[in-house]
Amino acid sequence: MSRIFSGVQPTGNLHLGNYLGAIRNWVALQEDFECIFCIVDLHAITQPQDPDDLRAHTREVTAAYIAAGIDPEKCIIFNQSMVPEHSELAWILACTTPLGWLNRMTQFKEKAGKHRENAGLGLYAYPVLMAADILLYRATHVPVGDDQKQHLELSRDIAGAFNRQYGVDYFPLPEPRILGAATRVMSLRDGANKMSKSDASDYSRLNMTDDADAIALKIRKARTDADPLPETPAGLEGRAEAANLVGIYAALAETGAEDVCHQFAGKMFSEFKNELSDLAVARLGPIAEKIGELKADTGHVDGILRRGAERAGAMAKQHLREIQDIIGLLRP
Ligand code: AQP
């Protein structure tokens, strides 16, 4: 049986990249796969978080999953820290992961920046916890945005290393599912950087909770160039910001960049941006409204997380017992 696992960190405002690169694709997968969708709060604390914000963001990400169309009856939705087996398996896997593999991870280098020596061990070990999240459920497929590809390859390597070390075929090697037309949505202010929750400028991203005015303003201010839209995507070469807006339009309209270029060829970006705003408002508006309703009912959201944690916890406990037996750890 194919099993999907994926997650989002409750580190701030969910944005269009999280939606198009991850959450929207999950909605389709729930029809054909057993799906586990996590709010990875233990990953969030690899960077300092305000406790009240962390609680609020955890509920907001849960609300966003449901508002986007993930059905908590069909899928398991829970927050990572409610199932302590994630941390236990992370330790076990850390013991079979060579340091050299972690030293290659580009996200650590980007996030630690110039102050590597002061970065936390958790930030460095983040990919091992991610491997534990996936392998704890013996997941076979992991839908993520392009930025998580390297971490997922490491999860496969860690699964293989464990299987080899203990002479078993216990963990499936999880396969990435990098889906959709917008696997890497870039910042609205700088086409060289991905759209990110932690970008200091709110103008760099469209948040899933932005209202129509905010969406229109941010798209109007989005950086572009002085040339009109080209006839084909080849004309977007070397025009990162223009290519990003065309890609966003294509993804929201569920079409390709070719179609978008064909439709707007020769038009100026000022005109295209109006169309893009209308489309973004039409797609994101109903989701934002639903997120607002769900956020106002924390009891309902917390109930979904509790039930999800019970279901995830039952599977996690059984797998961890099997893993302990493979390793030779005595258990009660
Ligand atoms: N810009 C993006 N384009 C496409 N997909 C993206 N994802 C994130 N940014 C983009 C995908 O969203 C899922 C959840 O990501 P995450 O919250 O776990 O962490 P992240 O990738 O580090 O996202 P952010 O927004 O950049 O968070 P911060 O700023 O807190 O680090 C993943 O599937 C990711 O690929």
Side-chain angles (χ1 to χ4, degrees):
M1 165 99 189
S2 298
R3 184 176 291 142
I4 297 270
F5 179 95
S6 200
V8 170
Q9 299 182 73
T11 39
N13 289 319
L14 284 184
H15 52 76
L16 189 68
N18 298 131
Y19 178 61
L20 294 177
I23 300 171
R24 187 174 74 168
N25 302 320
W26 303 353
V27 177
L29 292 168
Q30 68 183 336
E31 302 306 329
D32 299 320
F33 295 94
E34 180 185 356
C35 291
I36 304 171
F37 297 126
C38 192
I39 296 95
V40 286
D41 49 8
L42 295 176
H43 283 275
I45 60 167
T46 57
Q47 305 272 49
Q49 304 294 332
D50 174 83
D52 287 333
D53 286 348
L54 182 60
R55 271 184 282 273
H57 289 144
T58 301
R59 291 184 175 121
E60 184 170 305
V61 175
T62 311
Y65 285 3
I66 298 163
I70 294 168
D71 180 350
E73 298 301 321
K74 275 193 195 136
C75 308
I76 296 179
I77 299 177
F78 73 108
N79 61 307
Q80 187 185 23
S81 60
M82 280 205 209
V83 179
E85 285 78 8
H86 286 250
S87 308
E88 199 165 341
L89 183 57
W91 176 257
I92 289 171
L93 297 178
C95 296
T96 59
T97 306
L99 283 183
W101 290 1
L102 290 178
N103 288 339
R104 291 204 299 267
M105 296 298 113
T106 53
Q107 184 172 292
F108 173 74
K109 290 178 195 156
E110 283 160 17
K111 291 204 169 176
K114 293 195 199 93
H115 309 290
R116 270 183 82 151
E117 295 301 315
N118 294 333
L121 175 60
L123 188 65
Y124 185 70
Y126 179 114
V128 180
L129 179 59
M130 179 167 157
D133 299 336
I134 297 163
L135 300 178
L136 185 57
Y137 301 97
R138 305 178 78 193
T140 54
H141 296 86
V142 185
V144 283
D146 183 62
D147 61 313
Q148 290 298 327
K149 196 164 160 228
Q150 190 186 39
H151 285 164
L152 206 51
E153 278 160 9
L154 184 74
S155 295
R156 285 172 65 86
D157 290 343
I158 291 174
F162 180 95
N163 287 345
R164 274 194 307 281
Q165 178 169 342
Y166 292 104
V168 292
D169 191 17
Y170 186 74
F171 291 127
L173 304 189
E175 283 181 30
R177 281 277 163 114
I178 297 173
L179 300 166
T183 54
R184 185 178 281 256
V185 179
M186 308 309 280
S187 157
L188 299 178
R189 308 297 290 166
D190 175 2
N193 288 323
K194 73 165 190 148
M195 191 176 280
S196 170
K197 297 188 219 90
S198 50
D199 193 315
S201 168
D202 198 48
Y203 285 100
S204 68
R205 62 185 160 257
L206 293 184
N207 299 314
M208 284 180 74
T209 49
D210 280 344
D211 62 20
D213 289 344
I215 290 175
L217 181 63
K218 288 177 181 181
I219 292 180
R220 202 162 57 244
K221 283 181 166 275
R223 198 195 279 180
T224 40
D225 53 46
D227 292 338
L229 275 97
E231 279 171 24
T232 65
L236 293 167
E237 241 0 62
R239 301 171 63 189
E241 286 85 10
N244 189 38
L245 292 189
V246 169
I248 290 173
Y249 189 102
L252 287 172
E254 299 187 50
T255 180
E258 293 79 13
D259 283 347
V260 181
C261 288
H262 183 70
Q263 190 182 342
F264 293 98
K267 299 240 161 66
M268 297 311 291
F269 267 91
S270 49
E271 195 177 334
F272 174 72
K273 281 177 170 181
N274 291 335
E275 299 286 333
L276 178 58
S277 289
D278 290 347
L279 180 61
V281 169
R283 292 287 188 271
L284 297 179
I287 299 177
E289 203 175 309
K290 183 89 181 134
I291 293 175
E293 284 166 24
L294 285 161
K295 266 170 63 180
D297 190 353
T298 51
H300 177 62
V301 170
D302 290 358
I304 288 170
L305 290 174
R306 258 197 317 276
R307 273 196 305 284
E310 278 163 21
R311 292 164 68 194
M315 202 187 300
K317 275 189 183 56
Q318 187 200 319
H319 289 165
L320 194 69
R321 279 198 293 271
E322 291 165 4
I323 293 163
Q324 288 165 332
D325 288 344
I326 290 170
I327 297 175
L329 296 171
L330 290 179
R331 56 181 174 80

